[in-house]
Amino acid sequence: MTTKLTWDEITKLYNKEYVELTNYDWPDEEIHPRSGVVRVHSSDRAEFYKQVGKDTPVDSAIVFVGKLALPKDVIFSPGLRRVVANHA
């Protein structure tokens, strides 16, 4: 796909998927990009990163669209770090 989509369009088309965006507009003060061209997308993280590794562009942004479900007993997970509830 080479069409630039808005963030709303991306969230509707690629909900619960990993997405690599090129030609994106992502202001520093905003949590989500405003728009971008979807180069790669997949709901499977391993497959996504396999595809992202092919013909990697000079500049791209990688985002997960939607809300990630935390594994049981995980109460905090920034940047893939886990803090597990204490079961003392």
Side-chain angles (χ1 to χ4, degrees):
M1 178 178 266
T2 59
T3 304
K4 195 168 193 174
L5 303 173
T6 66
W7 180 246
D8 287 339
E9 292 170 322
I10 292 168
T11 59
K12 288 176 186 165
L13 292 170
Y14 304 103
N15 188 35
K16 297 187 179 175
E17 291 193 39
Y18 296 89
V19 175
E20 180 185 31
L21 300 174
T22 59
N23 190 20
Y24 60 91
D25 176 22
W26 196 339
D28 290 338
E29 67 278 0
E30 294 188 24
I31 193 166
H32 299 294
R34 287 185 184 159
S35 62
V37 175
V38 175
R39 186 179 89 90
V40 175
H41 67 93
S42 178
S43 59
D44 180 84
R45 185 168 48 174
E47 180 59 28
F48 173 76
Y49 280 105
K50 181 178 172 183
Q51 294 301 317
V52 166
K54 297 177 183 176
D55 300 320
T56 306
V58 173
D59 184 28
S60 68
I62 293 174
V63 295
F64 181 80
V65 180
K67 187 174 181 180
L68 282 171
L70 297 176
K72 186 181 177 194
D73 296 331
V74 173
I75 57 175
F76 187 63
S77 182
L80 301 177
R81 288 186 219 124
R82 293 182 177 176
V83 177
V84 180
N86 186 356
H87 293 288

